[in-house]
Amino acid sequence: MTKNNGAAKSGAATQISDPAAARLNGKFDGMGVARDDFDLKEDLLSSTCAIPHGRGKSGKTLVSRLMVECAMVAGRPLSFSDADRANAGLKDVHKPVDGPESASLQDLRTFVQRKLETQLEGNGSSLIDFGAGNPVFEGILDEVDLSGLMRDYGKQLLIFSMIGPARGDVSYIEPYLNHPSLASADFVICCNEGLTDPGREISAFDPYLETQQIRAALERGGRLVRLPRLTSAEQIETLGLTYLDAALGRPNANGRCLAPFAAAATAKWLRALPKAFAPIADWMSFAPIGDLVAVLDRELAAKAAARSHWRVAP
């Protein structure tokens, strides 16, 4: 039985290094914000605070890393922060990552409030990885109407709820789907197919998508997406690779890379994402997946052309 897409948070760090897209290197400030010569008016239209949410090992880190990488490739301003007291997964690949001074609840609460206020008063988008069971997130929701506050400032609050085919996964997110402080939030119900048995990627979720809370959330405007299985997810995290570098067979800081089959499978997975995430494409303008796939295809075409030239050279 092989299950993926919920890998542990570990591995050596490596930076995105795509020579075809100059915006991917050296364009970050001390807050972990991707910088480039972007059209400010366009980016102001997609000022989003994205919060991946779900039980441990549900795929939150995978989705967080994917969104950060897509924003970097597209040159969109995205401040990304790791507020997970147990594991700091973003910093294993993407640096610099903003985080609290310590793992204490007080420092974490101060840090998160500062990040949210910066989002409200500034431009660009942000992503906060709270991790599972973070009492600070729950405390903020009890204290303020977070989605209403975001709405009043003209911001989008995007809750990316990750589930596997388990009652516990659905039970974990259900209280938030109907939380009064998230009434104005945009909810994505993301079925992580990497947590299913092979061959049951679709049917495994059917019983859980029929629960009253899930159906009510979808009827209120929530959207359902399915994250395809990434067979090399754990290896990519262990190596500390970006998904683009993994698909292109590029090495990490220690010179290790995916084998050709695993790299090809990762490239196929990336190409499947625009269709998989099509239902939320308008919500993902702060981190467009299509730009990442376009860079991948250009780089693979360049590599193929180079190999062809090498074969015919005298």
Side-chain angles (χ1 to χ4, degrees):
M1 182 183 300
T2 301
K3 298 183 180 181
N4 310 95
N5 293 17
K9 300 179 179 180
S10 63
T14 184
Q15 295 291 324
I16 298 177
S17 53
D18 177 27
R23 62 170 57 98
L24 300 184
N25 277 325
K27 301 293 180 75
F28 310 103
D29 65 13
M31 300 293 286
V33 182
R35 298 293 185 190
D36 196 20
D37 296 328
F38 52 84
D39 185 334
L40 184 58
K41 291 182 180 179
E42 177 183 350
D43 286 274
L44 286 176
L45 296 176
S46 58
S47 184
T48 300
C49 178
I51 299 179
H53 181 252
R55 282 208 305 180
K57 310 298 183 183
S58 60
K60 295 184 300 299
T61 296
L62 188 155
V63 166
S64 296
R65 289 178 51 192
L66 177 64
M67 286 192 281
V68 170
E69 190 170 341
C70 288
M72 287 182 173
V73 169
R76 302 298 174 92
L78 179 69
S79 171
F80 46 97
S81 308
D82 214 322
D84 188 348
R85 292 200 303 163
N87 297 288
L90 281 175
K91 74 176 184 180
D92 290 335
V93 178
H94 301 299
K95 292 186 177 181
V97 176
D98 198 15
E101 294 182 4
S102 74
S104 72
L105 286 177
Q106 181 58 48
D107 283 348
L108 188 57
R109 177 65 174 80
T110 301
F111 165 74
V112 170
Q113 181 174 325
R114 175 171 58 86
K115 292 300 298 180
L116 290 172
E117 289 175 344
T118 300
Q119 169 76 36
L120 290 172
E121 298 169 352
N123 300 323
S125 298
S126 65
L127 181 146
I128 304 177
D129 184 359
F130 281 97
N134 192 322
V136 171
F137 183 48
E138 298 172 9
I140 289 174
L141 296 182
D142 290 339
E143 184 177 340
V144 299
D145 177 359
L146 184 59
S147 64
L149 185 62
M150 288 284 178
R151 180 195 59 217
D152 291 345
Y153 276 80
K155 313 293 183 179
Q156 175 196 28
L157 179 61
L158 180 63
I159 307 295
F160 224 96
S161 297
M162 305 295 301
I163 62 171
R167 178 60 205 171
D169 285 5
V170 177
S171 298
Y172 185 89
I173 69 168
E174 280 181 340
Y176 298 89
L177 297 177
N178 200 36
H179 199 292
S181 292
L182 297 175
S184 302
D186 292 323
F187 271 95
V188 177
I189 310 297
C190 183
C191 300
N192 187 349
E193 295 181 353
L195 301 177
T196 68
D197 296 333
R200 298 194 67 242
E201 289 83 358
I202 303 299
S203 61
F205 287 98
D206 289 345
Y208 307 103
L209 296 178
E210 292 301 315
T211 66
Q212 182 179 356
Q213 292 278 40
I214 295 290
R215 293 179 64 181
L218 295 176
E219 289 171 359
R220 289 194 303 270
R223 302 182 190 177
L224 179 70
V225 299
R226 295 178 180 271
L227 179 66
R229 182 190 308 278
L230 176 59
T231 55
S232 55
E234 292 188 15
Q235 188 179 4
I236 291 171
E237 281 215 35
T238 299
L239 294 176
L241 293 167
T242 66
Y243 298 115
L244 181 61
D245 283 347
L248 293 173
R250 291 175 176 160
N252 64 8
N254 298 319
R256 300 178 62 193
C257 63
L258 290 187
F261 269 55
T266 303
K268 183 178 180 180
W269 176 77
L270 286 173
R271 291 191 180 107
L273 292 180
K275 180 178 180 180
F277 282 14
I280 58 170
D282 56 328
W283 289 355
M284 294 288 291
S285 59
F286 69 98
I289 294 175
D291 290 45
L292 180 63
V293 176
V295 171
L296 169 70
D297 287 340
R298 286 199 302 269
E299 287 296 293
L300 287 176
K303 290 179 66 174
R307 284 193 293 266
S308 176
H309 177 75
W310 177 79
R311 286 195 298 267
V312 301

PDB file of all heavy atoms in Angstrom, residues 96-124:
ATOM      1  N   PRO A  96      13.991  33.542   3.049  1.00  0.00           N
ATOM      2  CA  PRO A  96      13.710  33.512   4.480  1.00  0.00           C
ATOM      3  C   PRO A  96      12.223  33.334   4.760  1.00  0.00           C
ATOM      4  O   PRO A  96      11.385  33.753   3.979  1.00  0.00           O
ATOM      5  CB  PRO A  96      14.163  34.898   4.943  1.00  0.00           C
ATOM      6  CG  PRO A  96      13.938  35.760   3.742  1.00  0.00           C
ATOM      7  CD  PRO A  96      14.219  34.890   2.536  1.00  0.00           C
ATOM      8  N   VAL A  97      11.912  32.681   5.885  1.00  0.00           N
ATOM      9  CA  VAL A  97      10.543  32.512   6.325  1.00  0.00           C
ATOM     10  C   VAL A  97      10.381  33.238   7.649  1.00  0.00           C
ATOM     11  O   VAL A  97      11.173  33.051   8.569  1.00  0.00           O
ATOM     12  CB  VAL A  97      10.182  31.022   6.494  1.00  0.00           C
ATOM     13  CG1 VAL A  97       8.766  30.880   7.047  1.00  0.00           C
ATOM     14  CG2 VAL A  97      10.298  30.296   5.165  1.00  0.00           C
ATOM     15  N   ASP A  98       9.368  34.082   7.729  1.00  0.00           N
ATOM     16  CA  ASP A  98       9.114  34.816   8.955  1.00  0.00           C
ATOM     17  C   ASP A  98       8.477  33.879   9.978  1.00  0.00           C
ATOM     18  O   ASP A  98       7.659  33.031   9.625  1.00  0.00           O
ATOM     19  CB  ASP A  98       8.167  35.984   8.650  1.00  0.00           C
ATOM     20  CG  ASP A  98       8.192  37.036   9.738  1.00  0.00           C
ATOM     21  OD1 ASP A  98       9.122  37.005  10.560  1.00  0.00           O
ATOM     22  OD2 ASP A  98       7.273  37.870   9.754  1.00  0.00           O
ATOM     23  N   GLY A  99       8.837  34.041  11.243  1.00  0.00           N
ATOM     24  CA  GLY A  99       8.284  33.204  12.293  1.00  0.00           C
ATOM     25  C   GLY A  99       8.363  33.884  13.638  1.00  0.00           C
ATOM     26  O   GLY A  99       9.026  34.921  13.794  1.00  0.00           O
ATOM     27  N   PRO A 100       7.699  33.330  14.652  1.00  0.00           N
ATOM     28  CA  PRO A 100       7.707  33.939  15.991  1.00  0.00           C
ATOM     29  C   PRO A 100       9.080  33.823  16.639  1.00  0.00           C
ATOM     30  O   PRO A 100       9.915  33.011  16.236  1.00  0.00           O
ATOM     31  CB  PRO A 100       6.668  33.117  16.754  1.00  0.00           C
ATOM     32  CG  PRO A 100       6.644  31.795  16.057  1.00  0.00           C
ATOM     33  CD  PRO A 100       6.898  32.094  14.604  1.00  0.00           C
ATOM     34  N   GLU A 101       9.319  34.665  17.657  1.00  0.00           N
ATOM     35  CA  GLU A 101      10.600  34.642  18.357  1.00  0.00           C
ATOM     36  C   GLU A 101      10.824  33.337  19.091  1.00  0.00           C
ATOM     37  O   GLU A 101      11.958  32.888  19.247  1.00  0.00           O
ATOM     38  CB  GLU A 101      10.679  35.818  19.337  1.00  0.00           C
ATOM     39  CG  GLU A 101      10.709  37.186  18.653  1.00  0.00           C
ATOM     40  CD  GLU A 101      10.846  38.314  19.648  1.00  0.00           C
ATOM     41  OE1 GLU A 101      10.989  38.017  20.865  1.00  0.00           O
ATOM     42  OE2 GLU A 101      10.831  39.481  19.229  1.00  0.00           O
ATOM     43  N   SER A 102       9.764  32.730  19.589  1.00  0.00           N
ATOM     44  CA  SER A 102       9.864  31.450  20.275  1.00  0.00           C
ATOM     45  C   SER A 102       8.577  30.677  20.043  1.00  0.00           C
ATOM     46  O   SER A 102       7.641  31.175  19.396  1.00  0.00           O
ATOM     47  CB  SER A 102      10.094  31.657  21.778  1.00  0.00           C
ATOM     48  OG  SER A 102       8.902  32.089  22.415  1.00  0.00           O
ATOM     49  N   ALA A 103       8.521  29.457  20.567  1.00  0.00           N
ATOM     50  CA  ALA A 103       7.335  28.625  20.404  1.00  0.00           C
ATOM     51  C   ALA A 103       6.302  28.860  21.497  1.00  0.00           C
ATOM     52  O   ALA A 103       5.290  28.155  21.550  1.00  0.00           O
ATOM     53  CB  ALA A 103       7.730  27.151  20.385  1.00  0.00           C
ATOM     54  N   SER A 104       6.518  29.856  22.353  1.00  0.00           N
ATOM     55  CA  SER A 104       5.557  30.130  23.418  1.00  0.00           C
ATOM     56  C   SER A 104       4.266  30.662  22.814  1.00  0.00           C
ATOM     57  O   SER A 104       4.269  31.324  21.770  1.00  0.00           O
ATOM     58  CB  SER A 104       6.119  31.146  24.409  1.00  0.00           C
ATOM     59  OG  SER A 104       6.169  32.444  23.837  1.00  0.00           O
ATOM     60  N   LEU A 105       3.163  30.398  23.492  1.00  0.00           N
ATOM     61  CA  LEU A 105       1.870  30.841  22.984  1.00  0.00           C
ATOM     62  C   LEU A 105       1.793  32.359  22.895  1.00  0.00           C
ATOM     63  O   LEU A 105       1.194  32.907  21.963  1.00  0.00           O
ATOM     64  CB  LEU A 105       0.749  30.299  23.872  1.00  0.00           C
ATOM     65  CG  LEU A 105       0.431  28.803  23.729  1.00  0.00           C
ATOM     66  CD1 LEU A 105      -0.648  28.397  24.721  1.00  0.00           C
ATOM     67  CD2 LEU A 105      -0.014  28.477  22.305  1.00  0.00           C
ATOM     68  N   GLN A 106       2.411  33.049  23.841  1.00  0.00           N
ATOM     69  CA  GLN A 106       2.372  34.504  23.827  1.00  0.00           C
ATOM     70  C   GLN A 106       3.115  35.063  22.625  1.00  0.00           C
ATOM     71  O   GLN A 106       2.622  35.957  21.922  1.00  0.00           O
ATOM     72  CB  GLN A 106       2.971  35.067  25.114  1.00  0.00           C
ATOM     73  CG  GLN A 106       2.938  36.596  25.201  1.00  0.00           C
ATOM     74  CD  GLN A 106       1.523  37.149  25.097  1.00  0.00           C
ATOM     75  OE1 GLN A 106       0.613  36.674  25.777  1.00  0.00           O
ATOM     76  NE2 GLN A 106       1.326  38.147  24.240  1.00  0.00           N
ATOM     77  N   ASP A 107       4.335  34.560  22.373  1.00  0.00           N
ATOM     78  CA  ASP A 107       5.088  35.026  21.214  1.00  0.00           C
ATOM     79  C   ASP A 107       4.372  34.671  19.913  1.00  0.00           C
ATOM     80  O   ASP A 107       4.363  35.457  18.954  1.00  0.00           O
ATOM     81  CB  ASP A 107       6.490  34.413  21.217  1.00  0.00           C
ATOM     82  CG  ASP A 107       7.418  35.092  22.204  1.00  0.00           C
ATOM     83  OD1 ASP A 107       7.051  36.166  22.719  1.00  0.00           O
ATOM     84  OD2 ASP A 107       8.504  34.548  22.470  1.00  0.00           O
ATOM     85  N   LEU A 108       3.772  33.496  19.884  1.00  0.00           N
ATOM     86  CA  LEU A 108       3.058  33.072  18.690  1.00  0.00           C
ATOM     87  C   LEU A 108       1.836  33.948  18.448  1.00  0.00           C
ATOM     88  O   LEU A 108       1.565  34.366  17.311  1.00  0.00           O
ATOM     89  CB  LEU A 108       2.639  31.605  18.827  1.00  0.00           C
ATOM     90  CG  LEU A 108       2.050  30.930  17.593  1.00  0.00           C
ATOM     91  CD1 LEU A 108       3.019  31.001  16.420  1.00  0.00           C
ATOM     92  CD2 LEU A 108       1.698  29.482  17.909  1.00  0.00           C
ATOM     93  N   ARG A 109       1.120  34.264  19.509  1.00  0.00           N
ATOM     94  CA  ARG A 109      -0.067  35.118  19.392  1.00  0.00           C
ATOM     95  C   ARG A 109       0.326  36.522  18.916  1.00  0.00           C
ATOM     96  O   ARG A 109      -0.320  37.098  18.034  1.00  0.00           O
ATOM     97  CB  ARG A 109      -0.770  35.205  20.749  1.00  0.00           C
ATOM     98  CG  ARG A 109      -1.992  36.135  20.772  1.00  0.00           C
ATOM     99  CD  ARG A 109      -3.083  35.582  19.876  1.00  0.00           C
ATOM    100  NE  ARG A 109      -4.315  36.355  19.984  1.00  0.00           N
ATOM    101  CZ  ARG A 109      -4.557  37.508  19.383  1.00  0.00           C
ATOM    102  NH1 ARG A 109      -3.618  38.051  18.617  1.00  0.00           N
ATOM    103  NH2 ARG A 109      -5.710  38.117  19.523  1.00  0.00           N
ATOM    104  N   THR A 110       1.396  37.068  19.472  1.00  0.00           N
ATOM    105  CA  THR A 110       1.868  38.393  19.062  1.00  0.00           C
ATOM    106  C   THR A 110       2.300  38.386  17.601  1.00  0.00           C
ATOM    107  O   THR A 110       1.997  39.311  16.839  1.00  0.00           O
ATOM    108  CB  THR A 110       3.037  38.842  19.952  1.00  0.00           C
ATOM    109  OG1 THR A 110       2.609  38.890  21.315  1.00  0.00           O
ATOM    110  CG2 THR A 110       3.561  40.204  19.533  1.00  0.00           C
ATOM    111  N   PHE A 111       3.005  37.347  17.219  1.00  0.00           N
ATOM    112  CA  PHE A 111       3.494  37.229  15.849  1.00  0.00           C
ATOM    113  C   PHE A 111       2.336  37.157  14.856  1.00  0.00           C
ATOM    114  O   PHE A 111       2.307  37.875  13.840  1.00  0.00           O
ATOM    115  CB  PHE A 111       4.367  35.980  15.720  1.00  0.00           C
ATOM    116  CG  PHE A 111       4.639  35.556  14.310  1.00  0.00           C
ATOM    117  CD1 PHE A 111       5.526  36.261  13.526  1.00  0.00           C
ATOM    118  CD2 PHE A 111       3.993  34.448  13.763  1.00  0.00           C
ATOM    119  CE1 PHE A 111       5.778  35.877  12.209  1.00  0.00           C
ATOM    120  CE2 PHE A 111       4.234  34.063  12.465  1.00  0.00           C
ATOM    121  CZ  PHE A 111       5.127  34.775  11.678  1.00  0.00           C
ATOM    122  N   VAL A 112       1.356  36.297  15.131  1.00  0.00           N
ATOM    123  CA  VAL A 112       0.239  36.119  14.210  1.00  0.00           C
ATOM    124  C   VAL A 112      -0.581  37.396  14.095  1.00  0.00           C
ATOM    125  O   VAL A 112      -0.983  37.798  12.999  1.00  0.00           O
ATOM    126  CB  VAL A 112      -0.643  34.940  14.657  1.00  0.00           C
ATOM    127  CG1 VAL A 112      -1.932  34.900  13.837  1.00  0.00           C
ATOM    128  CG2 VAL A 112       0.116  33.632  14.509  1.00  0.00           C
ATOM    129  N   GLN A 113      -0.827  38.063  15.214  1.00  0.00           N
ATOM    130  CA  GLN A 113      -1.580  39.319  15.165  1.00  0.00           C
ATOM    131  C   GLN A 113      -0.845  40.357  14.319  1.00  0.00           C
ATOM    132  O   GLN A 113      -1.451  41.069  13.524  1.00  0.00           O
ATOM    133  CB  GLN A 113      -1.812  39.860  16.569  1.00  0.00           C
ATOM    134  CG  GLN A 113      -2.604  41.162  16.586  1.00  0.00           C
ATOM    135  CD  GLN A 113      -2.946  41.619  17.994  1.00  0.00           C
ATOM    136  OE1 GLN A 113      -3.190  40.808  18.870  1.00  0.00           O
ATOM    137  NE2 GLN A 113      -2.955  42.922  18.205  1.00  0.00           N
ATOM    138  N   ARG A 114       0.481  40.425  14.477  1.00  0.00           N
ATOM    139  CA  ARG A 114       1.269  41.375  13.686  1.00  0.00           C
ATOM    140  C   ARG A 114       1.180  41.045  12.197  1.00  0.00           C
ATOM    141  O   ARG A 114       1.042  41.948  11.358  1.00  0.00           O
ATOM    142  CB  ARG A 114       2.726  41.351  14.147  1.00  0.00           C
ATOM    143  CG  ARG A 114       3.642  42.217  13.288  1.00  0.00           C
ATOM    144  CD  ARG A 114       5.030  42.326  13.921  1.00  0.00           C
ATOM    145  NE  ARG A 114       5.651  41.033  14.117  1.00  0.00           N
ATOM    146  CZ  ARG A 114       6.356  40.399  13.185  1.00  0.00           C
ATOM    147  NH1 ARG A 114       6.497  40.941  11.985  1.00  0.00           N
ATOM    148  NH2 ARG A 114       6.908  39.236  13.444  1.00  0.00           N
ATOM    149  N   LYS A 115       1.245  39.763  11.864  1.00  0.00           N
ATOM    150  CA  LYS A 115       1.170  39.367  10.456  1.00  0.00           C
ATOM    151  C   LYS A 115      -0.195  39.704   9.866  1.00  0.00           C
ATOM    152  O   LYS A 115      -0.291  40.208   8.736  1.00  0.00           O
ATOM    153  CB  LYS A 115       1.435  37.869  10.313  1.00  0.00           C
ATOM    154  CG  LYS A 115       2.850  37.444  10.632  1.00  0.00           C
ATOM    155  CD  LYS A 115       3.862  38.113   9.731  1.00  0.00           C
ATOM    156  CE  LYS A 115       3.678  37.771   8.281  1.00  0.00           C
ATOM    157  NZ  LYS A 115       4.680  38.434   7.403  1.00  0.00           N
ATOM    158  N   LEU A 116      -1.261  39.456  10.613  1.00  0.00           N
ATOM    159  CA  LEU A 116      -2.591  39.737  10.104  1.00  0.00           C
ATOM    160  C   LEU A 116      -2.817  41.238   9.953  1.00  0.00           C
ATOM    161  O   LEU A 116      -3.432  41.694   8.979  1.00  0.00           O
ATOM    162  CB  LEU A 116      -3.640  39.129  11.030  1.00  0.00           C
ATOM    163  CG  LEU A 116      -3.717  37.594  11.016  1.00  0.00           C
ATOM    164  CD1 LEU A 116      -4.660  37.102  12.106  1.00  0.00           C
ATOM    165  CD2 LEU A 116      -4.153  37.076   9.657  1.00  0.00           C
ATOM    166  N   GLU A 117      -2.319  42.023  10.891  1.00  0.00           N
ATOM    167  CA  GLU A 117      -2.467  43.477  10.788  1.00  0.00           C
ATOM    168  C   GLU A 117      -1.658  44.034   9.629  1.00  0.00           C
ATOM    169  O   GLU A 117      -2.086  44.984   8.957  1.00  0.00           O
ATOM    170  CB  GLU A 117      -2.068  44.130  12.110  1.00  0.00           C
ATOM    171  CG  GLU A 117      -3.076  43.864  13.225  1.00  0.00           C
ATOM    172  CD  GLU A 117      -2.645  44.413  14.572  1.00  0.00           C
ATOM    173  OE1 GLU A 117      -1.443  44.724  14.729  1.00  0.00           O
ATOM    174  OE2 GLU A 117      -3.497  44.512  15.455  1.00  0.00           O
ATOM    175  N   THR A 118      -0.487  43.448   9.387  1.00  0.00           N
ATOM    176  CA  THR A 118       0.309  43.856   8.218  1.00  0.00           C
ATOM    177  C   THR A 118      -0.446  43.563   6.934  1.00  0.00           C
ATOM    178  O   THR A 118      -0.435  44.360   5.987  1.00  0.00           O
ATOM    179  CB  THR A 118       1.661  43.129   8.219  1.00  0.00           C
ATOM    180  OG1 THR A 118       2.386  43.461   9.408  1.00  0.00           O
ATOM    181  CG2 THR A 118       2.488  43.510   7.001  1.00  0.00           C
ATOM    182  N   GLN A 119      -1.109  42.409   6.895  1.00  0.00           N
ATOM    183  CA  GLN A 119      -1.907  42.048   5.724  1.00  0.00           C
ATOM    184  C   GLN A 119      -3.045  43.046   5.521  1.00  0.00           C
ATOM    185  O   GLN A 119      -3.317  43.496   4.404  1.00  0.00           O
ATOM    186  CB  GLN A 119      -2.485  40.644   5.907  1.00  0.00           C
ATOM    187  CG  GLN A 119      -3.545  40.252   4.892  1.00  0.00           C
ATOM    188  CD  GLN A 119      -2.966  39.911   3.535  1.00  0.00           C
ATOM    189  OE1 GLN A 119      -1.903  39.339   3.453  1.00  0.00           O
ATOM    190  NE2 GLN A 119      -3.666  40.268   2.464  1.00  0.00           N
ATOM    191  N   LEU A 120      -3.700  43.426   6.603  1.00  0.00           N
ATOM    192  CA  LEU A 120      -4.832  44.344   6.502  1.00  0.00           C
ATOM    193  C   LEU A 120      -4.401  45.711   5.982  1.00  0.00           C
ATOM    194  O   LEU A 120      -5.093  46.323   5.166  1.00  0.00           O
ATOM    195  CB  LEU A 120      -5.497  44.507   7.872  1.00  0.00           C
ATOM    196  CG  LEU A 120      -6.258  43.299   8.415  1.00  0.00           C
ATOM    197  CD1 LEU A 120      -6.687  43.564   9.852  1.00  0.00           C
ATOM    198  CD2 LEU A 120      -7.473  42.980   7.554  1.00  0.00           C
ATOM    199  N   GLU A 121      -3.262  46.192   6.446  1.00  0.00           N
ATOM    200  CA  GLU A 121      -2.836  47.562   6.148  1.00  0.00           C
ATOM    201  C   GLU A 121      -1.969  47.676   4.897  1.00  0.00           C
ATOM    202  O   GLU A 121      -1.722  48.779   4.418  1.00  0.00           O
ATOM    203  CB  GLU A 121      -2.077  48.124   7.349  1.00  0.00           C
ATOM    204  CG  GLU A 121      -2.948  48.213   8.612  1.00  0.00           C
ATOM    205  CD  GLU A 121      -2.139  48.522   9.854  1.00  0.00           C
ATOM    206  OE1 GLU A 121      -0.883  48.516   9.757  1.00  0.00           O
ATOM    207  OE2 GLU A 121      -2.743  48.770  10.909  1.00  0.00           O
ATOM    208  N   GLY A 122      -1.495  46.556   4.391  1.00  0.00           N
ATOM    209  CA  GLY A 122      -0.565  46.610   3.270  1.00  0.00           C
ATOM    210  C   GLY A 122      -1.135  46.073   1.981  1.00  0.00           C
ATOM    211  O   GLY A 122      -2.340  45.858   1.839  1.00  0.00           O
ATOM    212  N   ASN A 123      -0.240  45.866   1.015  1.00  0.00           N
ATOM    213  CA  ASN A 123      -0.594  45.316  -0.284  1.00  0.00           C
ATOM    214  C   ASN A 123      -0.028  43.906  -0.399  1.00  0.00           C
ATOM    215  O   ASN A 123       0.741  43.456   0.422  1.00  0.00           O
ATOM    216  CB  ASN A 123      -0.030  46.198  -1.396  1.00  0.00           C
ATOM    217  CG  ASN A 123      -0.564  47.618  -1.324  1.00  0.00           C
ATOM    218  OD1 ASN A 123      -1.727  47.823  -0.995  1.00  0.00           O
ATOM    219  ND2 ASN A 123       0.286  48.592  -1.627  1.00  0.00           N
ATOM    220  N   GLY A 124      -0.389  43.250  -1.465  1.00  0.00           N
ATOM    221  CA  GLY A 124       0.115  41.903  -1.660  1.00  0.00           C
ATOM    222  C   GLY A 124      -0.657  40.894  -0.838  1.00  0.00           C
ATOM    223  O   GLY A 124      -1.645  41.209  -0.172  1.00  0.00           O
TER     224      GLY A 124
END
